[in-house]
Amino acid sequence: MSRDLSLEKYRNIGIMAHIDAGKTTTTERILYYTGVNYKVGEVHHGTATMDWMEDEQERGITITSAATTCHWNDYRINIIDTPGHVDFTAEVERSLRVLDGAVAIYDAVAGVEAQSETVWRQADKYRVPRIAYINKLDRAGADHARVVEMMAERLNAVPFVIQLPLGIEDAFNGVIDLVENQIISWQGDDKDSTFERLPVSDEHRATVDAAREALMESLAETDEALLETYLEEGALTVEQMKTALRRLTLTLQGVPVLCGSSFKNKGVQPLLDAVVDYLPSPADIGAVVGHSLDYSEEVRREARDDEPFSALVFKIAGNKYGDLAYIRIYSGVVKSGEKVFNVAKNRDERIGHFFQMHANKQKEVKEAATGDIVAIAGFKNVVTGDTICHPDSPLLLERMDFPEPVIHIAIEPKTKADQDKLSQTLDRLALEDPTFQVRVDEESGQTIISGMGELHLEILVKRMIRDFNVQANVGKPQVAYRETVIGEARVDETYERQLTGKRIFARVALSVKPAERGAGVCFENLTNETTLPQVFADAVQEGVLQAARSGAIAGFEMVDVQVALHDASFDDVDSSDVAFKVAATMAFKRAAREAQAVLIEPVMNVEVATPEEYMGSVVGDLNTRGGRILNMESRGDLHVVRAHVSLANMFGYSTALRSVSQGRATFSMEFSQYAEAPRAIQEKYAPQMGVSGDGIRSMG
Ligand SMILES: Nc1nc2c(ncn2[C@@H]2O[C@H](COP(=O)(O)OP(=O)(O)OP(=O)(O)O)[C@@H](O)[C@H]2O)c(=O)[nH]1
């Protein structure tokens, strides 16, 4: 096929930031200046194009990431807008997985906030090259230098300042381009106001010279040949600086830092230039590495159209045309109507239609190629994380990891008629969102939905009622407690019965001890030390896992335990896998109790930013919630408190914070770790244990 644009001219980028830093506003400007939009939507008018779901427009926040395509100077830029609220980190994570580069946006007043750190770490994990954009320089209290410092301190980033603000706060009217050695000045605040590139004026000469020299020096220090040139010539050329910046960005050794005010329409066009100049194309990223279907060998696919087709499904979203599967194509070409293979499901799928997405609007295309991000209609059975590929050349790309939900609520249909619809709708929502889970409680028969936070579940329930017209009653949010062991124990358990005249027999000796946080239930020596036949060893494993699901002391799932099988006896005639399963279940429950099973609870990282006068009440309130204050610092005219607080004590916090600060303080919260639950909780759920929970004690 002939591609209309070489792969080098693609940029697949994400825009990531703390809530309210200005992602949506910036994306709107990008769409305007690249000619996709004719009108700039404003977040506070509820008309921003990317925030298309009704709920997003109501709340002025971005919930689901929408993909959109635009063009800048002959380059195709696919943008994934990612949400800033921490309850939706899974959305950020799945976007980062398929992107080649990202723009990190900071609020010039608030600086690097908690959520920005989380997203930054996620981007580190996926090795996503980044450029930074310090937004809102027009705001009172904007402090460019402080944000740069915070990037180094908090994110461990190596910032390369390539622009300085021209004026600040009310007087902000452009940027100084240190690479080109020019002033970029806008005529006004209007979206259509033009800008011009001017030589640096005398007024700014000294500052610019010093900043340019510092930039050149730090670039030169990264490369021996460049250092030599710099020392010989006393300066670097624009081309040399750009090449060095691109190399450092692509190898994750540095982050070019730009600035502007998206709201005042200043800085966005140079930001687009920087996306092209410094962020990678799919060709720079190169081959994708997956596995053969049996995991026995690595399979590489070069980022080329003449390779077999391979792609990853990174999002499923329902809209009025049915389910759309968003895919990132890593290699090859695929056409509508073609058959592809879904590796995880081991089945063929036919591609119905392809769409290039612009927020919730879509443009049909006939084929898609390496580097493209498109949405596909017509797949029957795909979920987020599935690999799809050419049927003759299968490979498995690494799946995405999503955090386990930490909060759950019971939900029941209002009427009998809603019953079926409720369960279908919940399944549908769970398909779209991997951090949303649905299960039926075995004992109570209740339907339980779990998610990442109150807001997460609140929004899903609202969607269910509004978009799917299902009426339901929901209970109070409950913390997803877990169980684990803090000691070690070894037990010997024999299961022997006479059933319908037949003897059944199995004996297992196993031990349990704490395993690493996040390890789940792990096994050692299932067959080594014993000479147990494989079928019985499998039955032991199954029995333990089944027992772990319902816990040992209070019915919560038991996690992070290491189980070893030390001895086992069987009888050729009377033993069966069922007998081993029962023996293992009994042994595991007893061992876990003897190894001091305890309840653990989710503990959150909470960050509150408040004006000074409310600082005392904010801290007092966190203390009454049993929070552990980690540190306090000032940021502009705000004070920022960071604390660890158990999730159970954070319900309804937004209302409480509003009332202690007259609506002036803001907060963000993210899951930090599981820690031993306090004594009161232990006694409430497992009174028989007489355990010694002592508040927040890290188990990690
Ligand atoms: N003064 C000023 N305000 C801005 C600027 N950019 C954005 N804002 C305002 O800041 C608020 C948040 O902007 P958004 O674009 O919604 O931020 P976001 O990061 O997309 O937020 P979420 O979608 O909620 O994650 C809005 O009220 C914007 O109008 C700026 O450059 N200057």
Side-chain angles (χ1 to χ4, degrees):
M1 74 141 227
S2 64
R3 55 165 56 246
D4 55 345
L5 205 61
S6 75
L7 200 55
E8 285 70 25
K9 295 209 157 181
Y10 274 59
R11 297 290 178 273
N12 286 324
I13 64 162
I15 298 189
M16 52 192 228
H18 190 275
I19 187 162
D20 274 357
K23 284 184 310 290
T24 306
T25 306
T26 308
T27 311
E28 285 300 315
R29 271 30 173 206
I30 291 176
L31 296 183
Y32 185 72
Y33 295 123
T34 55
V36 174
N37 266 11
Y38 297 105
K39 159 168 162 290
V40 170
E42 290 300 349
V43 175
H44 55 256
H45 294 154
T47 57
T49 317
M50 296 293 276
D51 283 349
W52 60 275
M53 282 168 57
E54 198 180 314
D55 227 1
E56 296 184 17
Q57 294 189 349
E58 274 169 20
R59 288 163 189 266
I61 57 171
T62 308
I63 299 163
T64 45
S65 51
T68 195
T69 302
C70 60
H71 290 87
W72 184 248
N73 292 346
D74 275 355
Y75 283 77
R76 174 178 298 171
I77 304 179
N78 289 318
I79 304 173
I80 298 274
D81 185 37
T82 48
H85 194 282
V86 74
D87 282 357
F88 307 104
T89 44
E91 290 278 345
V92 183
E93 187 124 349
R94 67 160 131 221
S95 309
L96 287 171
R97 172 78 158 78
V98 295
L99 291 168
D100 301 327
V103 177
I105 301 190
Y106 300 106
D107 177 334
V109 180
V112 177
E113 296 164 276
Q115 174 69 0
S116 318
E117 281 181 58
T118 315
V119 180
W120 194 268
R121 282 195 302 272
Q122 288 171 313
D124 281 341
K125 178 169 132 196
Y126 291 112
R127 300 193 57 76
V128 175
R130 274 146 279 175
I131 59 179
Y133 175 71
I134 303 177
N135 187 30
K136 302 200 186 185
L137 282 163
D138 61 302
R139 277 187 64 190
D143 188 340
H144 179 266
R146 218 189 70 245
V147 184
V148 177
E149 266 167 38
M150 286 176 94
M151 283 184 63
E153 274 167 22
R154 289 216 167 175
L155 307 175
N156 263 331
V158 183
F160 288 91
V161 175
I162 61 167
Q163 287 180 349
L164 290 178
L166 185 65
I168 195 87
E169 303 181 342
D170 275 353
F172 175 75
N173 74 333
V175 300
I176 301 172
D177 182 337
L178 295 174
V179 177
E180 300 278 356
N181 201 8
Q182 281 172 337
I183 279 178
I184 311 179
S185 154
W186 274 260
Q187 313 302 348
D189 292 346
D190 189 73
K191 65 184 189 307
D192 293 318
S193 62
T194 51
F195 63 94
E196 47 187 353
R197 288 184 169 268
L198 303 165
V200 175
S201 57
D202 290 346
E203 180 196 351
H204 297 107
R205 191 75 267 166
T207 322
V208 174
D209 284 351
R212 264 199 113 216
E213 202 161 310
L215 174 63
M216 283 193 244
E217 234 172 70
S218 52
L219 289 177
E221 275 166 9
T222 64
D223 181 81
E224 236 170 75
L226 204 60
L227 184 61
E228 226 164 82
T229 316
Y230 178 63
L231 293 177
E232 272 168 24
E233 308 287 331
L236 297 177
T237 63
V238 171
E239 247 355 274
Q240 284 165 335
M241 289 168 86
K242 282 193 173 171
T243 309
L245 281 164
R246 183 170 179 82
R247 171 179 54 80
L248 291 165
T249 310
L250 297 198
T251 53
L252 302 178
Q253 295 178 79
V255 181
V257 184
L258 295 96
C259 60
S261 161
S262 297
F263 185 62
K264 297 277 170 85
N265 303 297
K266 297 185 175 90
V268 176
Q269 297 94 333
L271 176 64
L272 282 164
D273 290 338
V275 165
V276 164
D277 286 343
Y278 306 125
L279 290 179
S281 77
D284 293 308
I285 302 292
V288 65
V289 181
H291 288 99
S292 58
L293 301 197
D294 60 359
Y295 274 86
S296 64
E297 53 186 324
E298 265 187 16
V299 179
R300 281 172 72 85
R301 291 271 183 275
E302 298 301 327
R304 286 203 320 251
D305 290 346
D306 57 3
E307 283 272 273
F309 165 69
S310 70
L312 188 76
V313 178
F314 68 96
K315 184 178 170 76
I316 304 285
N319 72 2
K320 56 183 173 213
Y321 303 101
D323 281 352
L324 290 176
Y326 284 74
I327 61 162
R328 153 78 202 248
I329 303 179
Y330 286 99
S331 62
V333 178
V334 68
K335 295 187 174 63
S336 53
E338 254 175 22
K339 217 163 61 175
V340 292
F341 182 59
N342 180 343
V343 182
K345 302 291 173 326
N346 193 19
R347 58 173 281 167
D348 287 337
E349 291 272 4
R350 193 164 296 279
I351 297 208
H353 301 273
F354 281 121
F355 298 101
Q356 227 170 42
M357 301 302 291
H358 168 211
N360 64 330
K361 294 195 201 72
Q362 47 210 351
K363 179 177 142 211
E364 186 161 356
V365 288
K366 289 287 169 222
E367 68 175 27
T370 305
D372 279 333
I373 289 181
V374 285
I376 296 178
F379 280 176
K380 298 229 158 35
N381 194 3
V382 288
V383 298
T384 301
D386 282 355
T387 304
I388 54 170
C389 54
H390 192 281
D392 299 338
S393 310
L395 90 165
L396 256 176
L397 299 171
E398 204 176 301
R399 289 197 72 85
M400 289 178 234
D401 294 332
F402 292 108
E404 284 292 313
V406 289
I407 170 175
H408 57 80
I409 51 178
I411 185 163
E412 58 179 28
K414 273 217 171 107
T415 65
K416 258 211 135 18
D418 284 317
Q419 186 125 31
D420 285 350
K421 219 160 147 198
L422 175 72
S423 71
Q424 279 166 12
T425 308
L426 292 175
D427 289 347
R428 141 99 267 158
L429 291 170
L431 184 71
E432 282 183 22
D433 180 349
T435 55
F436 173 67
Q437 293 176 4
V438 185
R439 71 182 165 85
V440 175
D441 186 77
E442 279 170 25
E443 272 173 35
S444 65
Q446 273 182 320
T447 301
I448 309 287
I449 56 176
S450 326
M452 300 311 296
E454 270 180 296
L455 179 63
H456 186 207
L457 291 183
E458 195 191 309
I459 285 172
L460 285 164
V461 168
K462 268 191 78 178
R463 267 194 75 190
M464 195 182 77
I465 295 169
R466 197 189 51 217
D467 298 356
F468 298 91
N469 201 16
V470 185
Q471 299 300 320
N473 293 321
V474 293
K476 276 212 168 74
Q478 306 284 332
V479 169
Y481 291 106
R482 301 263 161 81
E483 297 179 14
T484 193
V485 297
I486 54 175
E488 295 182 27
R490 180 171 167 155
V491 300
D492 203 316
E493 192 76 49
T494 301
Y495 177 72
E496 191 171 2
R497 291 279 185 287
Q498 288 290 336
L499 269 187
T500 54
K502 197 169 171 284
R503 177 175 170 264
I504 304 180
F505 168 78
R507 178 188 149 253
V508 294
L510 56 77
S511 67
V512 299
K513 64 178 182 190
E516 237 176 73
R517 201 74 12 248
V521 179
C522 23
F523 294 90
E524 55 183 318
N525 295 339
L526 269 187
T527 45
N528 294 357
E529 272 187 40
T530 62
T531 47
L532 201 57
Q534 190 64 44
V535 275
F536 294 157
D538 290 346
V540 168
Q541 181 163 353
E542 210 181 301
V544 167
L545 289 174
Q546 189 176 326
R549 276 195 291 278
S550 59
I553 51 170
F556 297 106
E557 185 180 358
M558 175 156 286
V559 292
D560 308 338
V561 282
Q562 173 103 21
V563 182
L565 184 63
H566 300 283
D567 200 5
S569 317
F570 62 99
D571 180 317
D572 284 342
V573 182
D574 299 328
S575 292
S576 68
D577 49 351
V578 175
F580 270 101
K581 200 170 147 189
V582 177
T585 303
M586 288 163 35
F588 178 74
K589 291 224 175 196
R590 182 149 72 87
R593 277 194 291 269
E594 287 177 16
Q596 279 182 279
V598 290
L599 287 191
I600 50 177
E601 61 169 4
V603 173
M604 312 304 279
N605 265 329
V606 178
E607 186 177 297
V608 188
T610 170
E612 186 170 8
E613 62 255 52
Y614 306 110
M615 182 75 172
S617 356
V618 166
V619 171
D621 178 66
L622 286 172
N623 281 330
T624 58
R625 291 169 191 273
R628 200 172 75 204
I629 308 289
L630 303 174
N631 75 335
M632 299 191 235
E633 62 185 27
S634 55
R635 218 179 272 168
D637 48 6
L638 289 179
H639 285 256
V640 177
V641 189
R642 292 173 168 233
H644 273 167
V645 192
S646 75
L647 173 62
N649 296 338
M650 286 302 286
F651 287 150
Y653 186 63
S654 49
T655 314
L657 184 65
R658 220 174 295 135
S659 86
V660 299
S661 71
Q662 312 205 339
R664 304 270 310 280
T666 53
F667 82 107
S668 68
M669 165 165 106
E670 65 167 327
F671 171 73
S672 160
Q673 64 196 333
Y674 266 92
E676 200 174 323
R679 180 190 290 270
I681 300 287
Q682 307 276 357
E683 281 172 356
K684 177 174 166 198
Y685 289 101
Q688 75 282 11
M689 296 303 291
V691 282
S692 63
D694 59 354
I696 296 172
R697 189 169 84 196
S698 170
M699 311 275 300

